[in-house]
Amino acid sequence: MKLDMYVIKDGKRLRCGYTTGSCAAAASKAAVLMLETGKIPKYVEIDTPAGVKLKLEISDPRIGKGKASCSVIKDSGDDPDVTDGMKIYAQVEKREDAEIFIDGGTGIGRITRKGLFGKVGEAAINPVPKRMIEEEIRKISSKGYNVLIYAPQGEDIGKRTYNENIGIKGGISIIGTKGIVYPMSQEALIKTIYMEVDAVEDKYGKEKIVLVPGNYGEKLAKSLGLKSGIVKVSNFIGDSILYIYSKGFKSMTLVGHIGKFAKLSIGIFNTHSSVSDARMEAFIYYLSLKGAPKSLLESVNNCLTAEEGLNLCIEAGYGSIVEDMEKGAEERIKRYLKDEDYPIKVIIYSMERGFNMG
């Protein structure tokens, strides 16, 4: 059943969903019920760490000799999650003892580096979902079970996540600290960035790290020879650099588009348009320092895009404003970190001109 629970984000009413961990717990409980009673439940209820009780529909039930399996379809609500609509399966098999052993099968990724939520080689099933699975089983049985969580679509869908960047290969993760998906959770995005930083530290050490907003920035960074230790930070520049600095990295290089980094150049560390849109103000600030005529300032102020503003600057002979913005961004990052001697390099590009602003 779809979760009738909503949050308000940016003035919009968005429906919440439930995590892969909740799906795994519900499927596990249903499969045990099938073995214990010989009956197939249409729905099962589970509790979540968020304090929300879920009633989830059961699909694909199968009962064999001492073994049963079924699935629950993941519902991410209004969150743009690639796992939305996929089936999370649980197969349970009776044990001779009273232990519950949980593992991952087809489509569940495996941990490939230290420092994550389990040991290298283990299935990527987070501690909270494991606890949920065990608690839901214990509500209906004191017997022992081997529990296998699997997802036939998991390997393909896993390639569309950040899993490989953070050290999980071969599929999706069974995750969820609260059991509920809150649409467009900023906390979850930032946590993913931190995990990518940890992966860079694990693989390359702390000598240097490269930050880019997204895929295109990553491509251009590689074209400059900055091939190792690249982390995509989206709009969360401030959170990212503070975490990297606290980890003890010796230097940072940031490569980004003029639209985002114009904001950074005047000290804006969350560059999302819903937080701030001061691109033209940044151009006007740096043009004013150069003594640009008021007519140019007014023309730039009327521009709708940073690319358009940049073109006007270049045509008027002020192409060096990009270098000023780069230097300004470096100075503001150092102030933000409260370390004037920290090695920072900021590189700005344009979609139209690349790095060539002449």
Side-chain angles (χ1 to χ4, degrees):
M1 296 177 67
K2 289 188 175 181
L3 182 60
D4 187 23
M5 177 177 168
Y6 296 82
V7 295
I8 305 298
K9 289 284 183 72
D10 299 327
K12 297 178 181 178
R13 188 169 181 259
L14 302 175
R15 189 174 63 83
C16 298
Y18 40 86
T19 64
T20 52
S22 290
C23 295
S28 299
K29 183 177 185 177
V32 170
L33 274 171
M34 289 159 61
L35 282 185
E36 294 282 334
T37 67
K39 297 178 181 179
I40 297 172
K42 187 173 182 182
Y43 298 95
V44 295
E45 288 189 346
I46 65 167
D47 294 304
T48 65
V52 178
K53 190 177 288 292
L54 295 174
K55 184 177 181 180
L56 303 182
E57 186 174 3
I58 302 305
S59 302
D60 310 307
R62 291 185 180 181
I63 304 178
K65 189 176 181 180
K67 187 183 296 186
S69 65
C70 62
S71 71
V72 171
I73 298 174
K74 168 74 185 300
D75 176 17
S76 300
D78 289 326
D79 191 68
D81 187 339
V82 295
T83 63
D84 184 50
M86 73 182 299
K87 290 184 175 182
I88 306 298
Y89 285 80
Q91 175 184 283
V92 300
E93 186 175 7
K94 290 182 179 179
R95 292 171 59 96
E96 296 297 324
D97 55 26
E99 296 295 317
I100 293 176
F101 179 77
I102 302 167
D103 199 3
T106 301
I108 305 302
R110 291 274 161 181
I111 297 170
T112 62
R113 73 170 187 86
K114 297 178 181 178
L116 291 179
F117 43 80
K119 297 178 181 178
V120 172
E122 287 185 343
I125 304 175
N126 285 29
V128 172
K130 281 185 177 179
R131 187 172 70 244
M132 290 174 67
I133 291 168
E134 185 163 354
E135 287 175 353
E136 293 301 326
I137 291 175
R138 283 292 174 242
K139 289 176 184 177
I140 56 174
S141 177
S142 60
K143 298 174 184 176
Y145 288 94
N146 289 324
V147 180
L148 186 70
I149 306 300
Y150 60 101
Q153 298 173 284
E155 187 171 356
D156 288 335
I157 290 176
K159 295 173 183 176
R160 294 155 57 191
T161 70
Y162 285 100
N163 274 3
E164 288 203 13
N165 293 358
I166 62 176
I168 296 170
K169 291 187 178 180
I172 63 166
S173 306
I174 301 299
I175 60 174
T177 57
K178 296 182 179 180
I180 302 298
V181 174
Y182 296 94
M184 294 182 284
S185 168
Q186 178 173 311
E187 179 185 350
L189 288 170
I190 292 173
K191 186 177 179 181
T192 299
I193 293 169
Y194 291 170
M195 292 176 73
E196 285 206 57
V197 171
D198 293 345
V200 167
E201 177 189 10
D202 186 56
K203 187 173 182 179
Y204 299 105
K206 298 182 180 181
E207 193 65 30
K208 57 186 177 181
I209 192 168
V210 181
L211 311 184
V212 297
N215 292 329
Y216 193 73
E218 180 181 23
K219 180 181 178 181
L220 289 182
K222 289 179 178 178
S223 76
L224 293 174
L226 306 171
K227 297 181 180 179
S228 61
I230 299 176
V231 174
K232 286 180 275 191
V233 300
S234 185
N235 296 292
F236 305 109
I237 297 172
D239 293 286
S240 301
I241 63 176
L242 286 174
Y243 183 71
I244 289 165
Y245 185 77
S246 72
K247 293 282 287 184
F249 278 82
K250 295 181 181 179
S251 68
M252 300 180 210
T253 299
L254 292 84
V255 181
H257 182 254
I258 183 72
K260 290 188 183 296
F261 279 16
K263 299 177 189 180
L264 179 61
S265 75
I266 54 173
I268 295 171
F269 290 91
N270 184 327
T271 56
H272 197 284
S273 58
S274 67
V275 176
S276 64
D277 188 6
R279 295 164 298 168
M280 298 312 143
E281 288 81 353
F283 277 106
I284 290 168
Y285 171 76
Y286 284 100
L287 285 171
S288 297
L289 290 178
K290 286 183 167 296
K294 186 179 179 182
S295 58
L296 178 58
L297 302 183
E298 290 174 343
S299 296
V300 170
N301 192 48
N302 290 327
C303 291
L304 297 177
T305 68
E307 293 275 350
E308 184 183 359
L310 176 61
N311 283 335
L312 284 182
C313 292
I314 292 172
E315 290 165 8
Y318 290 93
S320 61
I321 191 176
V322 174
E323 295 174 11
D324 297 338
M325 286 183 171
E326 290 172 339
K327 184 178 179 182
E330 292 166 0
E331 291 173 351
R332 280 158 178 78
I333 291 171
K334 290 177 181 179
R335 274 185 242 158
Y336 193 70
L337 297 175
K338 298 181 176 61
D339 187 345
E340 295 293 329
D341 298 319
Y342 190 77
I344 290 282
K345 177 68 175 174
V346 173
I347 302 172
I348 293 175
Y349 67 83
S350 147
M351 297 296 288
E352 182 180 337
R353 299 171 181 269
F355 299 109
N356 181 18
M357 307 299 178

